[in-house]
Amino acid sequence: MDQQPASSGPMTGEAPSGALAGSGRSDLKTTLVNLIPPVTLAAVIAFWGLAPERLVEAPWTLTIVGVAIMAWLQGLEFLFERHEGWRINGREFLTDVFYVVLTYTVIAWCTNTLAEAPLHAIKHSLGISTPWLAQLPFLVQAAIVLFLVEFGQYWMHRAMHNWFPLWLTHAPHHHITQLNALKGAVGNPLELFLITLSVVSLFDFSTAAIFCAVSMGGVISGFAHANVRSDPPLFYSFFCTTIRHHSLHHTALSYEDTRCNYGNSLIVIDRMFGTYREGESAIVGQDDRKRLSIREQWMFPLQPLIKGYKARRDRSAAAAG
Ligand SMILES: [Zn+2]
Ligand SMILES: [Zn+2]
């Protein structure tokens, strides 16, 4: 079970009434800050649940909501910083923005062309039809979509930590040395593509429910990477991944210690499959905690080939003289 941080302020012995009032105010503030993730999630669900169809179908709505969520999270980092060591700077921010743009353009195109379109074709050729799904209550549909996406991501992420060729694509994400609002988008492009794969296109959910699930994932995994000192209550953190869960997944302790809390948004899947671990980490990074440049992140999967080539070159140079 999650341990919430102890409430602040001495509550025993003689305390001036002003100090007690101050402590009460800081307790209230902590409680309100802790509620920001669930309130944001509720706002996003309400938006998609109430949005008129023409707004849902408009081509830019999903993107605008996604960018608004990221801007909100980035703003919260300035107001309610969690760790000074994770404070955003110009280099980190520009790198993060580069990956967000990449995700919304190249990665989105690859996902549509290489995964979604073939899945649609398979759906039609097999005659798969599930119009009854779109008749389910909106929130039930959104929850099923989120679970389907997260269930696939959980096993893909777990495979990335268990199979070396896949780890080579995911390791750059673990080499980040601080967590921030947009860091969920940072990684090798192969990983960013693989992690988008899902079976949702095989089913006939309403567009609003699918977009709602996408935005919910953006809010939850955004908060799970953001340098914000919100520790949401158990009604949220039992199901949804928080910064505590995900910072532990990014721990710099050792590679073995990262093999827990795989759920990108739904930590409840880790609870189901025995990979949940309690705790958090303020120090994140991989191996020697060296920050990788974008070039190093992109070349990372080729490391064994480059190392092998250099070793062969050194051996032949030694033999020659
Ligand atoms: Zn990981
Ligand atoms: Zn992460």
Side-chain angles (χ1 to χ4, degrees):
M1 290 291 133
D2 292 9
Q3 293 165 1
Q4 299 302 325
S7 55
S8 56
M11 297 302 285
T12 54
E14 294 290 313
S17 58
L20 273 178
S23 152
R25 267 199 302 276
S26 93
D27 280 353
L28 179 64
K29 186 180 172 190
T30 303
T31 304
L32 291 176
V33 171
N34 288 347
L35 286 173
I36 295 173
V39 169
T40 306
L41 192 62
V44 161
I45 294 169
F47 172 81
W48 287 111
L50 300 172
E53 203 175 319
R54 58 176 175 76
L55 192 61
V56 172
E57 300 291 345
W60 289 97
T61 308
L62 182 62
T63 305
I64 290 169
V65 172
V67 172
I69 292 167
M70 289 186 275
W72 168 240
L73 290 166
Q74 195 66 71
L76 289 173
E77 286 200 353
F78 293 111
L79 292 172
F80 308 113
E81 182 177 79
R82 190 176 191 90
H83 298 299
E84 195 182 332
W86 295 358
R87 191 172 295 169
I88 196 80
N89 57 43
R91 184 175 67 165
E92 292 292 335
F93 183 69
L94 287 177
T95 306
D96 296 355
V97 168
F98 167 79
Y99 276 105
V100 169
V101 173
L102 185 81
T103 298
Y104 274 89
T105 54
V106 180
I107 304 295
W109 182 86
C110 290
T111 305
N112 284 330
T113 311
L114 304 175
E116 302 290 317
L119 266 187
H120 266 293
I122 291 170
K123 178 180 186 292
H124 286 296
S125 68
L126 294 179
I128 298 172
S129 180
T130 53
W132 53 272
L133 281 171
Q135 305 306 318
L136 292 173
F138 171 77
L139 203 52
V140 174
Q141 286 187 62
I144 296 173
V145 173
L146 183 62
F147 186 81
L148 280 177
V149 171
E150 282 291 311
F151 192 75
Q153 285 200 351
Y154 171 86
W155 288 105
M156 177 63 81
H157 190 184
R158 200 166 155 174
M160 285 172 168
H161 281 258
N162 283 292
W163 191 46
F164 187 63
L166 280 179
W167 169 249
L168 287 173
T169 72
H170 181 51
H173 181 64
H174 277 268
H175 273 271
I176 55 178
T177 52
Q178 62 182 84
L179 296 182
N180 295 109
L182 313 182
K183 283 288 191 291
V186 176
N188 181 272
L190 266 176
E191 182 222 3
L192 301 179
F193 167 70
L194 289 173
I195 213 79
T196 63
L197 301 179
S198 91
V199 295
V200 171
S201 294
L202 290 174
F203 303 100
D204 300 290
F205 294 100
S206 77
T207 307
I210 294 173
F211 287 178
C212 181
V214 171
S215 297
M216 288 170 77
V219 168
I220 303 168
S221 67
F223 272 110
H225 281 97
N227 184 19
V228 176
R229 60 170 182 272
S230 297
D231 289 311
L234 195 59
F235 75 80
Y236 179 96
S237 64
F238 186 81
F239 299 98
C240 301
T241 308
T242 68
I243 184 70
R244 299 186 75 245
H245 306 140
H246 199 65
S247 64
L248 192 65
H249 179 75
H250 275 270
T251 183
L253 270 182
S254 76
Y255 166 70
E256 270 314 307
D257 285 289
T258 66
R259 298 173 80 184
C260 64
N261 299 356
Y262 296 111
N264 196 38
S265 297
L266 294 184
I267 198 71
V268 72
I269 301 178
D270 285 275
R271 297 186 194 274
M272 285 162 62
F273 292 102
T275 47
Y276 175 74
R277 203 179 296 163
E278 171 54 33
E280 72 175 301
S281 183
I283 312 289
V284 298
Q286 198 65 43
D287 303 332
D288 55 359
R289 296 193 67 237
K290 179 187 172 293
R291 182 189 189 277
L292 301 183
S293 66
I294 292 175
R295 186 173 184 277
E296 286 168 324
Q297 288 166 335
W298 286 47
M299 297 296 283
F300 201 91
L302 300 176
Q303 267 198 349
L305 288 176
I306 295 168
K307 276 184 185 156
Y309 167 76
K310 281 183 179 165
R312 270 199 307 281
R313 191 190 57 189
D314 292 349
R315 271 200 304 274
S316 47

